[in-house]
Amino acid sequence: MATAQNDFDYYQRTIQQMYDRYYMKRIILGLVALAIFVAYTFFMKELLLLNGILILIIAVVTGYWFVQRQKFPEVYQAFLVENEPQLSIQSVEEAEYTYNIKTTGQVIRIAKKGARNLPSQNKQYTLLVGFAKNQFARQPLQIVYYDLLALTYEEKFRLSRNGYSRLPKFLRRFTWSNLKNSAGNAASLIFGNLFLLFILYRLIRYILAFLRMMF
């Protein structure tokens, strides 16, 4: 039985829509940020070198997202090949904000927000589709078969579900482990988040400068 082929044919449109939304959201944010930087640099004539470097970086990243968005067919096909002729069944552990896929030598963390659990033609398994929580992942899209009845729970998540967590729910998002999972490793956490915060700071500053000009 060609379970993977049937599943992938049936869910292709759904998964492609998820994939397009993921990249379109980032492309739009990149274009908006690019427009603000270009407009500020053109009208204010300030920090030309710094803004020029930031404009170049944002343009390259946005262009990369645009190119990746076009690669859905080959990315999708690669996941199909991984599950033929036999399904590749993974062990999944549910945490508070992620599904943790325990593969050989590594753990892939899929963000629960936006993830979908799709029933397979083989009723024993579920097709988990989502995006890596690591914002610097080379391939964000993840498609994984697993047995829903074999799903396990991370110890901290299990305790928090039972009311044993010492932190309020809204603060648990900012714990070190959750932030580290979002960046992938300590270096990415520090440099990646600092760069994003720097971009955000410049954007807010430039928007406020435009508002002062208008009013």
Side-chain angles (χ1 to χ4, degrees):
M1 181 184 296
T3 299
Q5 184 68 64
N6 292 335
D7 288 341
F8 275 63
D9 287 345
Y10 187 75
Y11 291 119
Q12 181 171 353
R13 184 177 179 182
T14 297
I15 297 173
Q16 185 166 6
Q17 289 174 345
M18 294 172 63
Y19 189 87
D20 285 343
R21 282 196 299 268
Y22 177 88
Y23 279 107
M24 276 306 300
K25 181 172 68 174
R26 283 156 178 77
I27 290 169
I28 291 171
L29 289 175
L31 292 175
V32 170
L34 194 61
I36 293 173
F37 273 100
V38 170
Y40 183 88
T41 305
F42 179 79
F43 288 108
M44 301 301 187
K45 311 295 183 184
E46 297 177 357
L47 303 171
L48 299 181
L49 179 59
L50 173 61
N51 287 341
I53 294 173
L54 294 177
I55 287 170
L56 179 61
I57 293 174
I58 295 172
V60 169
V61 172
T62 304
Y64 172 78
W65 287 332
F66 181 81
V67 171
Q68 291 300 110
R69 182 171 176 259
Q70 313 307 312
K71 293 184 176 181
F72 175 78
E74 60 187 84
V75 171
Y76 198 63
Q77 182 65 28
F79 280 108
L80 174 58
V81 170
E82 288 181 6
N83 290 281
E84 288 188 325
Q86 292 184 334
L87 300 183
S88 177
I89 310 303
Q90 304 294 337
S91 298
V92 177
E93 176 188 70
E94 184 177 356
E96 185 156 12
Y97 298 107
T98 61
Y99 292 106
N100 302 329
I101 314 303
K102 299 181 177 180
T103 61
T104 305
Q106 64 174 332
V107 176
I108 299 174
R109 293 177 172 85
I110 298 176
K112 289 172 74 172
K113 183 178 181 181
R116 298 281 300 274
N117 282 287
L118 306 172
S120 171
Q121 184 185 66
N122 183 331
K123 302 302 182 183
Q124 182 179 355
Y125 300 115
T126 298
L127 196 62
L128 172 61
V129 182
F131 296 89
K133 187 171 178 59
N134 178 1
Q135 58 183 309
F136 304 103
R138 178 173 296 180
Q139 178 46 255
L141 179 66
Q142 297 295 323
I143 303 176
V144 174
Y145 278 101
Y146 76 105
D147 185 346
L148 187 61
L149 296 179
L151 179 70
T152 59
Y153 297 97
E154 184 186 52
E155 182 67 12
K156 288 186 294 185
F157 176 56
R158 185 182 64 78
L159 292 174
S160 68
R161 289 183 66 194
N162 294 328
Y164 293 109
S165 177
R166 297 179 180 179
L167 287 175
K169 187 173 181 179
F170 74 94
L171 287 178
R172 293 200 293 268
R173 184 177 295 274
F174 302 101
T175 59
W176 170 256
S177 60
N178 187 54
L179 290 174
K180 188 174 184 295
N181 290 342
S182 298
N185 56 56
S188 295
L189 173 64
I190 296 171
F191 295 111
N193 286 343
L194 284 178
F195 179 72
L196 292 176
L197 287 173
F198 179 71
I199 293 289
L200 181 61
Y201 165 74
R202 305 307 304 186
L203 286 172
I204 293 173
R205 182 177 175 183
Y206 295 167
I207 291 172
L208 291 176
F210 280 126
L211 291 175
R212 284 196 295 268
M213 287 178 58
M214 295 171 60
F215 298 103

